[in-house]
Amino acid sequence: MNQVSHGDTPLQSGQAPAPDRVAATVRRDIRAMAAYSIGHADGGIKLDAMENPYGLPDAVRDDIAAAVRATALNRYPDDAAALHRAVRQAFDIPATAGLLFGNGSDELINLIVQACCEPGDVVLAPAPSFVIFEMAARFNHARYVGVPLTAGLELDLPAMLAAIATHRPKVIFLALPNNPTGGMWPTAAVQAILDAAPGLVVIDEAYQPFADHTWMPLAAELPNAVVLRTVSKLGLAGLRFGYLAGPAAWIGEFDKVRPPYNVDVLTQAVLLAVLRHKDVLDGQAAQLRADREPLAKALAELPGVVVHPSAANFLLLRFSGKLRADAVHQALKSRKIWVRAFGGSDPLLNNCLRISIGTPAENAALLAALREILERS
Ligand SMILES: *Cc1c(COP(=O)(O)O)cnc(C)c1O
C-alpha cells in the first residue's frame, strides 16, 4: 500500500497534521492569505473571466486530435524550436528580439520578479491592475507598491513618476489595456514611464487582440522593456501558454529561472496545430471587438449604469443611485449569468462589475436580465 510514512509510524490517511507544526513551518504571510479563487460557473452564461466564448470549428479540432495522437508522451519536451518559429511568425515578433515561453503568462510574471528582485526590492504597478503582479511580488519577498489610478480610472502619470522616484522599483508592470478597467494608457505616458524607470518595465499585452496599439514592433529596441503576451484571451485559456519578447540580454536572464519543460508536449503540439488556423482566432477576436461598442452603448443607456471605455474584451460597469453592484451580481447569479465582482478589494472599484463580451445571444441575455433587475429594484 502506498502510504506516506515518517520513520516507523505511518500516517493514517486523513490524519490531520498538528496545527502548530503548520503554523511554525509555513510562512506567516502565506498563512494569512486566501488561495486564488477560481469562479465556478455551473452551466449558464460565463462572462467572468475574459474567455473567448466561441469554440473551435471541427476542422481545427481534427487537426488538434491528429497532432495529439502523434505526440510522444514518453519524451520530455524538446527545445520547442518549431513552436518558436511559429509563434514569431503568427504574432509578428521582431526577428532580433529574444523570446521566452511560459505556462501561461502568469508564470512569466513570476519568473521576472524572481530573477530581478532581492528581498525588499520594489515591484510597482498602477492600481487596480492585474492581481498576479502583486501576488508575484509577495511570493518572491519583494515589496509591492500600487499607485492608485485617478477617480476616473485613468493612469495618474504624475503620481506614477513620483512613486518611481521615491521607490526606485526594480520592476514596473503596465497592463495595456489594463485589467480590470479596460483602459489603454496613452503612449506618451508609457514612454515617460519607460524613460523614468530605473529597472525593467513589463508591458503586459494580454488584451492586445482587442486593442489598436502594440509595443511588439519595438520589442528588441526598448532598452529597459519587455512585452508580455498570452493566448488565453484570444481563445486558448485552457492551454496555458504565454510568451515574453524583448532584448536578448533580458530574456536570457529570465530563461535561467524558467523551470525546464515548463511548456509541456501537448501544449506545444496543440498550439502548433491551432496556429495553422490563426485566422479563425483572429476572426473571433474581430467579432468580439465589433460587438463591444454596441453592448457598451446599450449598457450605458440603462439608468444608473456608467460604462468605462474599453479597449479589451470586457467592460467595467459602475452602478450608482440605489443600485448596488453586489445586489446586481447576486441577481445575475440567480439567473446563472456569471460576472466578476470585486468585494471591496479596491475602493476605486466600489460598486463596479466586470463583464466579458460574450456571443451576441449571451450579450442580449445579459442586457435583458439587467433591464429586468433594474426595473425591480
Ligand atoms: C488574464 C491576464 C493574464 C493572464 O494570462 P495567462 O496567460 O492566462 O496566465 C496576464 N495579464 C493580464 C493583464 C491578464 O488580464
Side-chain angles (χ1 to χ4, degrees), residues 49-50 103-107 109 129-130 132-133 175-179 204-207 228-233 237 240-242 314 354:
M50 285 83 89
N103 191 322
S105 54
D106 286 1
E107 181 180 58
I109 291 167
S129 189
F130 189 42
I132 301 291
F133 302 154
L176 297 168
N178 191 46
N179 171 16
D204 181 345
E205 294 191 345
Y207 301 96
L228 179 64
R229 297 259 193 90
T230 174
V231 297
S232 294
K233 311 304 165 22
R240 308 310 302 136
F241 181 83
F314 62 87
R354 190 191 63 199

